[in-house]
Amino acid sequence: MAGADDRLRRLGEVGGMLREAALARLKAAAETCRKVEAELAALDAEWRECEGETDPAARAVMGPGRERRYLLRRAALNGALARARAEEAMRMQEAARAFGRDDALHRLIRRAAGD
């Protein structure tokens, strides 16, 4: 029975490593979301600053080209944010499964130890 206990212990260690790896991937995905959200916020702040410009000459220079660049960049960032959030949701499910498996393994190990 000692061999079985050792195998369960090693399996528990592997479960813990898989849990930690899933958590690291989730943290990375969440960080990507926050980074893209910050880029969007900075882009919007820059646009609001340009919109607040009252000098007609400056507005003429910034004009439609600047608005087009803003809209294109915002669309690209929105797409990146959608992909990042989808990745984060996928990683969250993956982490939940890993945590559940790890918990089940530890319950099994405790049960096998006679607790």
Side-chain angles (χ1 to χ4, degrees), residues 2-115:
D5 288 343
D6 189 46
R7 285 184 295 200
L8 279 175
R9 182 188 56 76
R10 286 185 301 196
L11 190 57
E13 290 172 1
V14 170
M17 286 186 274
L18 291 174
R19 182 196 68 222
E20 293 304 315
L23 185 58
R25 287 188 295 273
L26 175 58
K27 285 180 182 179
E31 179 59 33
T32 300
C33 285
R34 303 303 83 79
K35 183 179 174 183
V36 175
E37 288 168 348
E39 287 182 57
L40 268 168
L43 181 68
D44 287 343
E46 182 182 322
W47 179 252
R48 281 190 302 277
E49 186 178 307
C50 290
E51 284 290 294
E53 180 62 56
T54 56
D55 180 20
R59 287 187 68 82
V61 169
M62 290 188 280
R66 179 166 223 137
E67 182 177 5
R68 189 172 36 255
R69 282 190 303 278
Y70 165 76
L71 293 174
L72 288 173
R73 180 69 179 141
R74 190 153 205 330
L77 286 172
N78 279 332
L81 183 58
R83 287 187 297 279
R85 285 188 176 159
E87 178 74 16
E88 183 182 31
M90 210 169 54
R91 296 303 179 192
M92 194 172 294
Q93 290 174 344
E94 178 185 279
R97 279 192 304 274
F99 271 81
R101 287 180 186 139
D102 188 51
D103 182 55
L105 279 170
H106 284 292
R107 282 186 279 140
L108 182 62
I109 291 167
R110 283 192 303 271
R111 201 174 312 151
D115 288 343

